[in-house]
């Protein structure tokens, strides 16, 4: 198998051992699962399924960020406790992942349950000279980590720009360097607070994933993933603090998925143009959602159009009919093409093309009774169960 590695900026062999330690950044549960989330989590689900097909045991850890600078203002706006909001949206996320037939996670740590570990990690960083504190806020000093920026490959100017756009405050006068980032901060009066050597407060965003991943999977991951919007600052900062604390490589391989727009406009909460999985799956078969998303390579930025789900529905209907039809052609070549495509930087569109060709060939007839069975097995490999008939086309 070969996968694109963000840090090396090229497609390279991915050669983990029998056990694959994988960490994928999870949701901040203050809103519903949209197609951008689905695109990301189905990408890693497809990777896991192929790795399992190859004989690996995959330990996927996917966190729940139930305290940070996004969920607390939303809870305040709604007038509800932040944990109540997190519980409701996490439950909806679980229903969406179940509907989309994703493989179960090895662990799903909630940030609020790991704060003591985060404090311990910050103390290690402080003891090693990587931090400074100002009025109860602890910052990571990027000047103590010479390779800061090596993951993203961005210039300092680009990183500062992204920091301002993505939750940072590079103009904070307390900073020694505009790229220094918060590890711990005092809580506002209506925010949750935990004890620490620097006073009661709450963790910064980045320290959460470092503490949870190393606490469950150890100091070095085989693969760390998420959306491409997490490359900087989140993953760059996570790498810096983890390697500064442990002195070893944090992730052997970095993998990121592209962004999904909606009919020509970036899909975002602020624009109100999100397509929610929970709503889409009320009127369409979730398997059709999966097939529609497979039409795009995971590294591509692409646009969802309303008729995409109709294409996925037609694909599902055709595959199901073929999986329950009389004998077809020799399926071995198609199976080889599907697996070869997945091994070639998880090329889902090419794999889907081979599946579609097999379905079409079966419907045209043949003399190999194994063809429909193999089609069903290949459907299962990509997470699409062809046993149950889809709802009639509307």
């Amino acid at each position: 198998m070969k996968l694109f590695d963000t840090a090396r900026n090229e497609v390279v062999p991915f050669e983990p051992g029998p056990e694959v330690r994988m960490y994928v950044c999870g949701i901040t549960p203050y809103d519903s699962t949209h197609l951008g989330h689905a695109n990301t989590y189905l990408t890693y689900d497809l990777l896991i399924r192929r790795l399992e097909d190859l004989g690996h045991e995959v330990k996927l850890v996917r966190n729940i960020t139930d305290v940070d600078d996004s969920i607390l203002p939303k809870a305040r706006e709604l007038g509800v406790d932040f944990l109540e909001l997190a519980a409701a949206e996490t439950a909806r996320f679980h229903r969406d992942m179940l509907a989309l037939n994703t493989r179960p996670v090895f662990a799903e740590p909630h940030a609020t349950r790991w704060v003591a570990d985060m404090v311990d990690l910050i103390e290690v960083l402080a003891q090693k000279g990587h931090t400074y504190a100002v009025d109860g806020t602890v910052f990571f000093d990027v000047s103590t980590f010479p390779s800061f920026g090596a993951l993203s490959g961005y210039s300092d100017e680009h990183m500062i720009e992204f920091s301002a756009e993505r939750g940072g405050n590079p103009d904070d006068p307390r900073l020694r360097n505009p790229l220094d980032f918060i590890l711990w901060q005092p809580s506002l009066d209506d925010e949750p607070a935990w004890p620490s050597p620097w006073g009661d407060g709450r963790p910064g965003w980045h320290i959460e994933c470092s503490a949870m991943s190393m606490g469950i999977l150890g100091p070095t991951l085989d693969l760390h993933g998420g959306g491409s919007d997490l490359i900087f600052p989140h993953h760059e900062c996570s790498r810096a603090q983890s390697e500064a604390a442990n002195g070893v490589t944090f992730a052997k391989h970095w993998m990121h998925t592209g962004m999904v727009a909606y009919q020509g406009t970036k899909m975002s909460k602020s624009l109100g143009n999100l397509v929610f999985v929970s709503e889409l799956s009320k009127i369409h078969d979730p398997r059709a959602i999966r097939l529609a998303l497979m039409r795009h390579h995971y590294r591509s930025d692409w646009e969802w159009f309303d008729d995409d789900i109709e294409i996925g529905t037609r694909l599902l209907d055709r595959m199901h009919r073929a999986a329950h039809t009389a004998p077809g052609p020799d399926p071995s070549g198609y199976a080889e093409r599907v697996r070869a495509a997945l091994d070639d930087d998880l090329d889902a569109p090419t794999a889907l093309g081979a599946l579609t060709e097999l379905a079409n060939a079966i419907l045209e007839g043949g003399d190999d009774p194994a063809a429909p069975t193999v089609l069903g097995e290949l459907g299962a490999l990509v997470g699409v169960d062809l046993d149950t008939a889809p709802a009639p086309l509307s």
Side-chain angles (χ1 to χ4, degrees), residues 96-166:
D96 291 341
M97 292 298 100
L98 183 63
L100 291 171
N101 191 31
T102 59
R103 303 286 293 127
V105 297
F106 174 71
E108 189 178 60
H110 289 59
T112 51
R113 302 171 193 172
W114 283 78
V115 176
D117 297 81
M118 298 171 202
V119 170
D120 290 344
L121 179 55
I122 297 170
E123 286 192 284
V124 170
L125 289 168
Q127 291 164 6
K128 293 188 173 185
H130 294 288
T131 72
Y132 59 94
V134 182
D135 300 328
T137 298
V138 182
F139 297 95
F140 185 91
D141 185 348
V142 298
S143 70
T144 68
F145 191 75
S147 67
F148 190 80
L151 166 59
S152 64
Y154 300 153
S155 66
D156 284 1
E157 292 75 18
H158 200 169
M159 288 190 287
I160 291 171
E161 179 183 342
F162 272 166
S163 175
E165 293 175 1
R166 298 173 178 176

Side-chain angles (χ1 to χ4, degrees), residues 22-197:
M22 183 184 301
Y23 188 92
V24 174
C25 285
I27 61 166
T28 302
Y30 65 99
D31 213 334
S32 303
T33 315
H34 57 72
L35 282 179
H37 295 134
N39 183 59
T40 293
Y41 297 127
L42 289 178
T43 291
Y44 295 104
D45 185 71
L46 186 60
L47 174 61
I48 290 167
R49 288 174 180 276
R50 175 56 179 148
L51 288 169
E52 290 177 340
D53 186 49
L54 287 165
H56 297 275
E57 177 188 3
V58 181
K59 290 186 174 180
L60 170 66
V61 175
R62 186 182 62 215
N63 67 296
I64 300 292
T65 303
D66 55 356
V67 58
D68 80 340
D69 291 337
S70 298
I71 192 170
L72 296 175
K74 184 66 174 182
R76 187 181 299 123
E77 174 191 329
L78 296 174
V80 299
D81 182 83
F82 79 103
L83 289 178
E84 179 183 344
L85 173 61
E89 293 301 341
T90 299
R92 177 150 46 179
F93 173 72
H94 287 159
R95 291 193 295 271
D96 291 341
M97 292 298 100
L98 183 63
L100 291 171
N101 191 31
T102 59
R103 303 286 293 127
V105 297
F106 174 71
E108 189 178 60
H110 289 59
T112 51
R113 302 171 193 172
W114 283 78
V115 176
D117 297 81
M118 298 171 202
V119 170
D120 290 344
L121 179 55
I122 297 170
E123 286 192 284
V124 170
L125 289 168
Q127 291 164 6
K128 293 188 173 185
H130 294 288
T131 72
Y132 59 94
V134 182
D135 300 328
T137 298
V138 182
F139 297 95
F140 185 91
D141 185 348
V142 298
S143 70
T144 68
F145 191 75
S147 67
F148 190 80
L151 166 59
S152 64
Y154 300 153
S155 66
D156 284 1
E157 292 75 18
H158 200 169
M159 288 190 287
I160 291 171
E161 179 183 342
F162 272 166
S163 175
E165 293 175 1
R166 298 173 178 176
N169 184 12
D171 295 325
D172 188 333
R174 299 173 298 171
L175 296 176
R176 296 176 181 174
N177 182 306
L179 292 173
D180 292 348
F181 55 90
I182 291 176
L183 299 171
W184 187 263
Q185 60 194 323
S187 301
L188 299 178
D189 291 342
D190 63 345
E191 293 179 344
W194 289 265
S196 84

Side-chain angles (χ1 to χ4, degrees), residues 315-387:
L315 283 170
L316 175 61
D317 178 68
R318 195 162 186 80
M319 287 184 186
H320 176 265
R321 285 192 290 115
H324 297 268
T325 299
D330 178 358
S332 58
Y334 298 93
E336 291 173 2
R337 287 169 55 198
V338 169
R339 289 183 168 91
L342 296 179
D343 289 345
D344 182 16
D345 196 22
L346 208 67
D347 187 350
T350 297
L352 181 60
L355 276 169
T356 304
E357 288 181 30
L358 176 57
N360 291 339
I362 291 173
L363 292 173
E364 292 172 1
D367 55 10
D368 192 328
T373 300
V374 171
L375 177 61
E377 292 170 350
L378 294 173
L381 172 61
V382 300
V384 178
D385 179 3
L386 296 176
D387 289 341

